Structures are given as C-alpha cells and as structure tokens.
Amino acid sequence: MAFAKDQSAGYLANHMARIFAHGLTARIKPLGLTTGTFPALLELWDTDGLTQKQLVERLDIEQATMANTLARMERDGLIVREKDTNDGRVQRVWLTDRARNLRGPAIAAAQEENAVRLAGHTDDEKRQFIALIQKVIKTKTPEEPGDT
Amino acid sequence: MAFAKDQSAGYLANHMARIFAHGLTARIKPLGLTTGTFPALLELWDTDGLTQKQLVERLDIEQATMANTLARMERDGLIVREKDTNDGRVQRVWLTDRARNLRGPAIAAAQEENAVRLAGHTDDEKRQFIALIQKVIKTKTPEEPGDT
DNA sequence: ATCACTTGAATAGCAAGCTATTCAAGTGAT
DNA sequence: ATCACTTGAATAGCTTGCTATTCAAGTGAT
C-alpha cells in the first residue's frame, strides 16, 4: 500500500493551489486586496448589484463563506450592501468606486501570477493543463448533485 | 482587460483543490481524520519519530502551521510529542497505535478520491496532468529561494 | 561565567473555507 | 388573520493556512 504524495492528484492540487494563492496574495496586497475577494469581485465587475444568493449560485462557494467574505469586503470599503426594497431578506451588493478602480490592476496581478507559474509550460501544455483541470471540476457537479 | 475565471490557472487550481479537499474530508471523516493531518501522517508512517523541524523541511508547510496541526493531532490521539534528551528545544513526534493502524484505510480513501476525480481522464491524461502540476510546483522552488 | 546570537517551537492574530444552526422576512393554506 | 413552511442571510464554531512575534534552550566568544 505505497502512497507517493508527489504522484497523488489531490495532494498536488492542494500544494499547487497554495503556491498560486501565496503568489497572488503578495501581488494584490499593495492594492489592499486579499484572494478571497477575487471571485466575488470578478462577478461584480461584470454585473454590479447582484444579491448574495446570486453570487453564491455563480460561484462554487458556500453561502456562509460568501457572507463572511462580503462582510470583510464591506469592512474594507470594497462594497456596500443595501436591502432590496421589494424583499427585505435580500441584500444587494454594490461595488464602491475604489473597488471599481481596482479592476485593472487586480486582473493584471492575477494574469502575472498565472504567467509566472506557467512560465515553464509551452503554450500547448498550458492549454492542456487548463482543459484537464476543467475536466476535474466538471466531473464533480453532475455526480454530487447533493450540495444541499 | 477581459478575465475569464474558468481560463485562469490559479482560479481553477483553487477550485479544484477545494473539490479534492471536500471529497477527501468526507472520506476520512469516519476514520476520525482531517485533511490537514495527511501530509504529516504520510511522513510519519514512513519515518516515525521525526522532529517538527524535519517535518517542516520535508513538506512545503510553514512552521507555525505544522505546530498547530501537530497540536490538533496530539489532542486527537494521533501522535505523542516528547522532548529530545540531547536538545531540550527539539520535540520528537511519535505516532500512536491508533495512527499507525489508520494508514491502510486513510491511504485507500485518498486513492479512491483521486480515482473518482480523475475518472473522466484517460491514463495518458492522468499522467500528463500529474506531470504538469509537478512542473508548476517545481517552477516555484528555485525562483523564490526566500521562503523566510 | 556571561552575554549576544542562533535555533526549534509556541503563540497571537488574521483570512478563507466548511457544516450546522439561527434569525428574519415572505408566502400560503386554512 | 394566523400559523406552518420556505427562503435569504447571519452567526457559531471549527480547520487549515499564513505572517509576525515571542519564548526557551543551546552555542560561542570574550
């Protein structure tokens, strides 16, 4: 029952993700951003004023995690949350000017990080790599419809 | 300045790692194990009685993280820590019987999780996938010798 | 022998995840 | 109108990770 951690997809996936996160953390720190805000920001840069529910649906992130992330984002002046007038349960999320202005540099930082990490890969390898990861991710959703 | 998150290696790496972690968490929960203990356990199953320092050197994990993980492992009866007689600063880490006995089922769980996640990949794709991730990881170390 | 430096480990404090639970607002059936 | 159910969001409590700092034990030079 041998187990080589550097041959285990899951182990390697975790390790690689930490490396990416570490690099991106450093790159966006000067912007006053942290990695956890990225998914929400990407959605909001595209469509401002989404509800928390909609953000959760668009991203594979739990509701509680999103609530916490949004709370930090509000604290840090990236978003404002306001109650929907029609439905008092709904919170709409709006970007602040500051957050809107960070789009360019933040995306640039992410692209730089990706570029550095994949510097050793040929263009073909990069494409394969992305495709293979996407396949792992897609393998999930249909199988585990659970997700409560 | 478009940015498609499902084309971003870093974004995908994070997402994939969470999927693997989620699956493994469920599989090893019945064993009373959590994912964070896995790296240390693998090293100790191979070589019992390592020091914390040695564990940190063998794994790309920060000293503080390891200290916390070991504290949880001790609390949960997976390890015992004892002071080295030669050097009072050194803590040697020894597996308990319980932890030793978990090796088989834990490794089986990890292998099952890997298998399920890669079920959509051909053998060739699996090999490529592992190789491509390894390359990303290796791209790191030489570049950032800092790590302190 | 003492004092500065080094080194191994622990602690403080935070981010980003998760599960499970609670709270508040709406909705529907009686 | 009321009471049960649903639904959106918040909270509690935990793990895993990080950086920065502190503490304690050894080591070396004077």
Side-chain angles (χ1 to χ4, degrees):
Chain A
M1 185 72 79
F3 188 86
K5 62 187 197 294
D6 49 340
Q7 294 292 325
S8 162
Y11 195 106
L12 293 170
N14 169 272
H15 193 176
M16 176 172 68
R18 284 191 289 115
I19 290 171
F20 271 109
H22 190 258
L24 184 59
T25 297
R27 286 192 148 82
I28 62 181
K29 190 174 185 177
L31 305 176
L33 289 179
T34 56
T35 56
T37 67
F38 235 96
L41 284 174
L42 286 169
E43 295 304 324
L44 294 167
W45 282 327
D46 186 66
T47 323
D48 206 358
L50 292 171
T51 68
Q52 187 185 119
K53 179 89 190 304
Q54 289 173 315
L55 283 168
V56 167
E57 281 165 5
R58 282 166 162 73
L59 305 166
D60 187 12
I61 285 179
E62 292 300 321
Q63 177 267 322
T65 301
M66 183 56 69
N68 282 327
T69 300
L70 291 175
R72 266 180 278 118
M73 290 173 77
E74 190 161 41
R75 179 200 65 189
D76 298 342
L78 292 169
I79 57 165
V80 176
R81 283 186 284 187
E82 65 175 33
K83 274 215 168 66
D84 189 290
T85 36
N86 303 333
D87 188 335
R89 292 168 301 180
V90 175
Q91 295 268 349
R92 292 205 169 266
V93 180
W94 300 94
L95 293 171
T96 61
D97 283 351
R98 181 178 160 234
R100 259 189 300 275
N101 291 332
L102 285 173
R103 184 169 187 265
I107 287 178
Q111 283 169 338
E112 282 161 27
E113 177 61 21
N114 284 337
V116 166
R117 289 303 150 218
L118 296 177
H121 295 64
T122 64
D123 284 358
D124 225 51
E125 286 175 328
K126 287 176 198 168
R127 270 190 296 273
Q128 277 173 36
F129 189 49
I130 300 287
L132 290 168
I133 301 183
Q134 285 172 339
K135 199 190 276 191
V136 172
I137 293 172
K138 264 173 220 139
T139 300
K140 177 204 173 190
T141 327
E143 284 187 26
E144 279 110 317
D147 281 350
T148 308
Chain B
M1 185 72 81
F3 187 84
K5 62 186 196 298
D6 49 338
Q7 294 292 324
S8 162
Y11 196 105
L12 293 169
N14 171 271
H15 193 177
M16 175 172 67
R18 283 191 290 115
I19 290 171
F20 271 108
H22 190 258
L24 185 58
T25 297
R27 286 191 147 82
I28 61 181
K29 190 173 185 177
L31 304 177
L33 288 179
T34 57
T35 57
T37 66
F38 235 95
L41 284 174
L42 285 170
E43 295 304 324
L44 293 167
W45 282 326
D46 185 67
T47 322
D48 204 359
L50 291 171
T51 68
Q52 187 185 119
K53 179 89 190 304
Q54 290 173 315
L55 282 168
V56 167
E57 281 164 4
R58 283 166 161 73
L59 304 167
D60 187 12
I61 286 179
E62 291 300 321
Q63 177 267 322
T65 301
M66 183 55 70
N68 281 326
T69 300
L70 292 175
R72 266 180 278 117
M73 290 173 76
E74 188 161 40
R75 179 200 64 189
D76 297 341
L78 292 169
I79 58 164
V80 175
R81 284 185 284 187
E82 64 175 33
K83 275 216 166 67
D84 189 290
T85 35
N86 303 332
D87 188 337
R89 293 167 301 181
V90 175
Q91 293 268 350
R92 292 206 168 265
V93 180
W94 300 94
L95 294 171
T96 60
D97 283 352
R98 181 178 161 234
R100 258 188 300 275
N101 292 332
L102 285 172
R103 184 169 187 263
I107 287 178
Q111 283 169 339
E112 282 161 27
E113 178 62 20
N114 284 339
V116 167
R117 289 303 151 219
L118 296 178
H121 296 65
T122 65
D123 284 359
D124 224 52
E125 285 176 328
K126 286 176 198 169
R127 270 190 295 275
Q128 277 173 36
F129 189 48
I130 300 286
L132 290 168
I133 301 183
Q134 285 172 340
K135 199 190 274 192
V136 171
I137 293 172
K138 262 172 220 140
T139 300
K140 176 204 175 191
T141 326
E143 285 188 24
E144 280 110 313
D147 279 352
T148 292

